[in-house]
Amino acid sequence: MKLICLLLALATVASAAVPSRPAATASKIVRTWKSADGRALEAELLDFDATEIRIKRSADFQIMKVPVKAFSKEDQEFVAGLLHDRAINESLTKGPFAEKMTGAFVQAVSKQGLNYQIYGNPKWDNTQRYPLVIWLHGSGQSGSDNTSQMGGATGVFTNAEHQAKNPCFMIAPQCPDADIGWNKQVADHLMALIADLTDKLPIDTHRLYLTGSSMGGFGSFSLATKYPKVFAAVVPLCGGSDPKNAEVLKQVPLWAFHGDKDEMVPVERTRNVMKAIKAAGGTLSKYSELAGAGHGITGIVYPKEELHEWLFAQHLKGVTE
């Protein structure tokens, strides 16, 4: 599937407030089915696979097996959706990412060739949907070893204490080239990876959380600007963005951090864009300027309990559980 299709699909799923079908684990599904030629039949769904469904007709309780292709396009799509839900519900122990669900970070390479590490727990309840935290490292951790990026937020969000309170998937991609950063094809490959993961794991698409530091802070601002309807919350550290992006960024829950003594990225890079967001009428954003702090603030910011409470309370705008 082409990248643009993946991104559109991700945005569509993420912005849907109410699912269009019952969960595949629902105890009873009764609906009016329509045949390919338009005839209607009210029946309970008893079982299904990709080729055939078993139903109990409401009129006389007769049980019958019917090929999926005998139904309308709408009903075929309904069954396909149930099959997808069932695959997701089994995905921590079956499916393409099951071997990477170990309760620890595991190295992987995306279909597009992006190195990343992923955290997931095989003991989770598959019928639940869990947030996904995306960590973007700084320029000094770029490369191809698929290890150097494992700092910053990775240890905090996946330690036992935080996982007990806020279980979540987490990915730590590695940018191959600091000269590109989290832009151009690297950003495209990351978004394609996110789309692939949300399609095949029990990830809550209403709760995709993006954070990064330094180059990753700039990348977090950039991706939030480009995809404001995808991420439920964004936490950029010691990064920045053009204040002209305020009209878009005011739509996104942001909590930005910057040390006022940052010797590598001037604090004005964050300060100015956050001022612009406020001036544009943004009410979803927060900004914490750390007095006396320099560039290395990940160890100060990520352990903050109030950050975790705020972050995991965020859902896409207009979406409630």
Side-chain angles (χ1 to χ4, degrees):
M1 183 181 296
K2 294 183 179 180
L3 176 60
I4 188 64
C5 295
L6 286 168
L7 298 180
L8 287 172
L10 177 58
T12 299
V13 170
S15 62
V18 180
S20 60
R21 61 182 182 272
T25 55
S27 58
K28 188 173 183 179
I29 298 175
V30 178
R31 64 185 267 118
T32 299
W33 304 82
K34 289 186 178 180
S35 64
D37 59 6
R39 290 176 294 171
L41 172 69
E42 184 178 285
E44 178 185 351
L45 177 64
L46 301 178
D47 197 10
F48 57 93
D49 59 28
T51 61
E52 185 178 74
I53 68 170
R54 189 164 67 94
I55 56 177
K56 181 166 68 174
R57 191 162 59 192
S58 299
D60 56 8
F61 307 112
Q62 180 180 347
I63 296 175
M64 59 188 73
K65 293 181 179 181
V66 186
V68 173
K69 64 182 181 181
F71 289 98
S72 66
K73 181 180 179 181
E74 179 183 357
D75 285 336
Q76 291 183 42
E77 291 175 350
F78 177 81
V79 174
L82 293 178
L83 287 165
H84 180 259
D85 284 348
R86 185 159 66 187
I88 293 292
N89 289 346
E90 298 174 346
S91 61
L92 294 179
T93 54
K94 300 179 182 179
F97 292 102
E99 64 180 13
K100 298 176 177 60
M101 300 295 104
T102 66
F105 275 104
V106 176
Q107 291 183 332
V109 182
S110 76
K111 295 176 182 177
Q112 294 74 29
L114 182 68
N115 284 333
Y116 69 101
Q117 292 202 31
I118 184 169
Y119 174 92
N121 192 332
K123 296 180 181 180
W124 285 337
D125 176 0
N126 278 8
T127 62
Q128 294 188 40
R129 301 295 181 254
Y130 298 89
L132 171 65
V133 178
I134 303 108
W135 153 251
L136 305 183
H137 63 75
S139 61
Q141 293 74 53
S142 303
S144 59
D145 64 358
N146 206 0
T147 300
S148 299
Q149 78 273 27
M150 301 306 296
T154 57
V156 178
F157 280 88
T158 59
N159 69 33
E161 179 184 356
H162 284 85
Q163 282 290 314
K165 291 181 179 179
N166 296 301
C168 63
F169 289 95
M170 188 169 192
I171 59 169
Q174 185 178 34
C175 177
D177 188 346
D179 289 336
I180 300 174
W182 300 105
N183 302 297
K184 300 178 181 178
Q185 71 267 30
V186 178
D188 291 343
H189 292 170
L190 174 58
M191 295 304 294
L193 169 61
I194 294 170
D196 192 33
L197 294 174
T198 56
D199 186 53
K200 296 180 175 66
L201 287 169
I203 292 172
D204 184 349
T205 54
H206 300 158
R207 301 175 73 197
L208 305 181
Y209 303 135
L210 178 66
T211 187
S213 180
S214 192
M215 184 180 81
F218 283 100
S220 296
F221 271 119
S222 176
L223 289 170
T225 303
K226 195 171 183 181
Y227 305 104
K229 301 297 186 183
V230 169
F231 300 106
V234 180
V235 181
L237 278 59
C238 49
S241 183
D242 191 327
K244 293 179 181 178
N245 295 325
E247 278 296 324
V248 175
L249 290 172
K250 73 179 184 180
Q251 307 172 48
V252 183
L254 281 161
W255 192 347
F257 294 84
H258 213 125
D260 68 354
K261 304 299 182 185
D262 193 322
E263 68 284 1
M264 295 183 67
V265 179
V267 67
E268 288 79 13
R269 298 299 300 272
T270 296
R271 186 188 290 165
N272 291 343
V273 68
M274 298 309 290
K275 284 183 178 178
I277 291 172
K278 185 176 181 180
T283 59
L284 303 175
S285 298
K286 305 174 68 170
Y287 175 45
S288 294
E289 195 167 293
L290 307 180
H295 191 64
I297 60 173
T298 57
I300 301 172
V301 173
Y302 287 126
K304 289 179 178 292
E305 186 61 32
E306 61 267 34
L307 171 63
H308 291 260
E309 291 176 358
W310 175 85
L311 183 67
F312 286 93
Q314 303 305 309
H315 295 70
L316 283 181
K317 187 177 180 180
V319 175
T320 57
E321 288 298 290

